[in-house]
């Protein structure tokens, strides 16, 4: 076959693309489990902040179908049945959204509240995740008013909706 022919060039290009696709597939299969494990490790360290002496079970598959809001991503139960932690998301002022954890003890009190990802406006929406406001959220029980931040209505509403979704699912789990 003539190396200057368009057929030769098309076949050569097809072979190069196939080899590159195969190499990308192999690289993805090798790195995907490591990336997934790193994400789980990050979540587990955050869960340990809520319940330091506990192990956790991901019970998302068991309970997530009962969430009618679509705001809950994951549900984790403590091994000693002392509480549940919900990974929630929402869209505040920043359209990239926010992700946070909210935990509830079996008595309905909040065991912890922590932002995992948020890109809200510094000094406004980001205030919702400052230590002072986190303490306010951690002092509530199911059914209490959820703290709002003046001037950060979109962020506050997004977090409030996520917390309310978690409260509702917690109540369904506990009957």
């Amino acid at each position: 076959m003539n190396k200057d022919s368009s057929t030769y060039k098309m076949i050569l290009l097809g072979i190069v693309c196939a080899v590159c696709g195969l190499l990308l597939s192999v690289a993805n299969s090798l790195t995907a489990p490591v990336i997934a494990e790193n994400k789980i490790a990050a979540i587990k360290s955050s869960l340990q902040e809520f319940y330091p002496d506990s192990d956790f079970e991901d019970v998302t598959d068991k309970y997530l179908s009962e969430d009618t809001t679509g705001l809950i991503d994951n549900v984790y139960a403590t091994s000693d049945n002392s509480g549940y932690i919900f990974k929630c998301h929402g869209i505040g002022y920043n359209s990239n959204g926010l992700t946070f954890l909210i935990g509830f003890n079996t008595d309905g009190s909040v065991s912890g509240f922590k932002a995992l990802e948020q890109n809200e406006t510094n000094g406004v929406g980001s205030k919702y995740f400052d230590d002072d406001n986190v303490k306010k959220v951690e002092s509530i029980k199911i059914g209490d008013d959820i703290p709002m931040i003046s001037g950060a209505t979109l962020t506050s509403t997004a977090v409030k909706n996520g917390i309310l979704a978690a409260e509702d699912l917690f109540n369904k789990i506990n009957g």
Side-chain angles (χ1 to χ4, degrees):
M1 185 180 296
N2 183 359
K3 291 184 180 182
D4 291 331
S5 73
S6 60
T7 305
Y8 175 79
K9 291 177 182 176
M10 285 181 8
I11 291 172
L12 182 62
L13 183 60
I15 291 171
V16 169
C17 288
V19 169
C20 288
L22 178 66
L23 291 174
L24 283 172
S25 175
V26 168
N28 184 51
S29 68
L30 293 174
T31 58
V34 173
I35 292 169
E37 192 168 312
N38 286 342
K39 282 185 176 181
I40 291 171
I43 292 288
K44 285 186 179 180
S45 69
S46 295
L47 299 177
Q48 291 290 325
E49 291 177 27
F50 292 17
Y51 297 98
D53 298 325
S54 189
D55 290 323
F56 302 92
E57 179 184 357
D58 187 341
V59 293
T60 303
D61 293 338
K62 187 174 180 181
Y63 297 118
L64 195 60
S65 63
E66 301 207 24
D67 172 36
T68 58
T69 65
L71 296 175
I72 299 174
D73 298 321
N74 298 91
V75 181
Y76 303 95
T78 59
S79 58
D80 60 359
N81 296 318
S82 57
Y84 291 89
I85 300 174
F86 301 86
K87 181 181 171 197
C88 304
H89 70 274
I91 296 177
Y93 183 75
N94 187 313
S95 63
N96 291 335
L98 47 91
T99 306
F100 62 92
L101 295 173
I102 182 86
F104 295 104
N105 297 313
T106 53
D107 67 357
S109 61
V110 173
S111 61
F113 173 72
K114 178 181 181 178
L116 296 176
E117 296 176 30
Q118 65 92 10
N119 294 307
E120 300 302 293
T121 307
N122 282 335
V124 185
S126 67
K127 281 183 176 180
Y128 207 96
F129 304 103
D130 289 347
D131 289 341
D132 289 340
N133 197 64
V134 167
K135 288 177 186 171
K136 288 179 187 176
V137 173
E138 290 177 341
S139 69
I140 65 172
K141 286 187 165 200
I142 289 181
D144 289 351
D145 288 334
I146 297 167
M148 301 288 279
I149 301 284
S150 178
T153 306
L154 295 175
T155 304
S156 296
T157 301
V159 174
K160 178 180 179 179
N161 290 339
I163 292 173
L164 289 173
E167 285 182 0
D168 185 54
L169 186 54
F170 178 82
N171 287 332
K172 288 177 183 176
I173 291 169
N174 285 326

